[in-house]
Each structure stands twice: as C-alpha cells, then as structure tokens.
Amino acid sequence: KAGVTQTPRYLIKTRGQQVTLSCSPISGHRSVSWYQQTPGQGLQFLFEYFSETQRNKGNFPGRFSGRQFSNSRSEMNVSTLELGDSALYLCASRGKTNTGELFFGEGSRLTVL
Amino acid sequence: LAKTTQPISMDSYEGQEVNITCSHNNIATNDYITWYQQFPSQGPRFIIQGYKTKVTNEVASLFIPADRKSSTLSLPRVSLSDTAVYYCLVGDLSLLSGSARQLTFGSGTQLTVLP
C-alpha cells in the first residue's frame, strides 16, 4: 500500500509569511505526528493527532499549529515565519494505538529567506 | 519528559558488530523504546522496538536492562549500506491513555561503516 505522502516537498518563503504543509497517512492509520528536523536541534516532536484530536504537543510556540481531518489527513501551519523555521518537516503515521512503529514521509523542506 | 542521550558519532568496519547506546534516565512506566535509521534526504525508518529485556528481529537486537534507564541497539555484521544516522525514541505511545506526553528523539548517532 502507498506510504506516507507529504506535500509540498520543497518550498521557499520569506519572513513574516505563513505556510501550510500537508500529510496523507498510510490508509487505515489514524495517528499522524509531526516533527521538525534541523542540523542543530535534531528531530523535535511538534504534535500528534489521533481521530481529529491533538493528543500530544511538543515545546513549540503557538505559531505552529495543526489539524487532522476526518479522513486522517493532516495539515500543519506555521504563521509569521522566522529564519529559524527553516527545516525539514516530517510527518509520520501509525496504525496501532498502543505501540507500533512510526511510518515517516520524505518530508517537506522549508527555506525561509 | 524522557530526555535521551546518544553518542554523536561512531565508526566501524564492515563485518563488525556495532552497539549504540541511548541513555534515558527519567524514562516513565508507560514509555517504549524504539530505534530508527535515517539516510540523507529520507524520513527515518523503523528498526526495532522494546519495553524491557531483549528483543531481536531480522536486522537488529535491542537490549534493555532491568532499570530501563538505557538501551543498546546491536547491529550484527554491519555493511557499508548501514552508514546512516540512528535515533532512539522514548515515549508513551499510547493514544488512549489520555496523557499528553511528547515523543522524544535522541540527538542521533552518525554511524560510518568503513571498508
């Protein structure tokens, strides 16, 4: 079956703009989580959604938000972009509610100028 | 919040066994330990997961001592294609417990396998 799909793969924005990234999970997976990856900070957890509800949240400012739709697709939004928001944004889905591996997409690479 | 610590880098030679340790001193009762492998420009890929003692699959073993404050990923007979960054993830994976816990990745270990 198809893997996790993230769009767009690459995008360039300027400071102050906002951006919306999309993630389509593996069919049947109801959990979607988001991560920011930068060379200096590694992989940092943003938030996780399950059944359209945010279940967990990382230590990021309120400019970072997300949502999940009834078909389990998820979007994350970053408002008022800063240079430091330049990163690879990864989403992952999983099917099991108790354990289970995370299946990652290839990421959306955001560059803020 | 289970902060994790891993070595930044490790070198090995083809055919050797590699052990990568992750420290997670304040791991919680409901936390699982999962290891991922990441190649450049790709998302991480699941290797193995465990809760306690030893877990083995076709590609790796995971050793977790009784106090669960650390874990060791063991890769038998590595090859050049095992050159990648390895992450440990510690967290409460339950979506039904109602707890709002973060999923904490280690800083990653760059494993370089030399010929």
Side-chain angles (χ1 to χ4, degrees), chain A residues 69-110:
Chain A
F69 302 96
S70 58
N71 62 357
S72 294
R73 190 178 69 85
S74 177
E75 289 182 346
M76 69 160 282
N77 183 276
V78 187
S79 62
T80 319
L81 284 167
E82 302 177 358
L83 296 178
D85 297 332
S86 294
L88 180 67
Y89 290 88
L90 292 158
C91 85
S93 74
R94 60 185 169 112
K96 296 180 181 179
T97 58
N98 193 43
T99 59
E101 62 182 282
L102 297 168
F103 294 84
F104 284 84
E106 294 191 325
S108 293
R109 184 166 294 282
L110 170 65

Side-chain angles (χ1 to χ4, degrees), chain A residues 14-89:
Chain A
T14 57
R15 280 183 300 174
Q17 287 186 310
Q18 73 164 16
V19 65
T20 299
L21 308 177
S22 178
C23 174
S24 294
I26 290 173
S27 178
H29 286 191
R30 295 163 59 194
S31 160
V32 173
S33 51
W34 288 89
Y35 305 83
Q36 181 194 66
Q37 187 170 36
T38 59
Q41 297 296 321
L43 263 169
Q44 292 193 292
F45 172 75
L46 281 157
F47 27 66
E48 181 172 33
Y49 286 87
F50 175 68
S51 294
E52 303 178 63
T53 301
Q54 187 180 91
R55 296 292 178 145
N56 297 290
K57 189 177 190 307
N59 294 326
F60 279 83
R63 300 185 297 107
F64 292 81
S65 63
R67 59 178 174 169
Q68 187 179 33
F69 302 96
S70 58
N71 62 357
S72 294
R73 190 178 69 85
S74 177
E75 289 182 346
M76 69 160 282
N77 183 276
V78 187
S79 62
T80 319
L81 284 167
E82 302 177 358
L83 296 178
D85 297 332
S86 294
L88 180 67
Y89 290 88

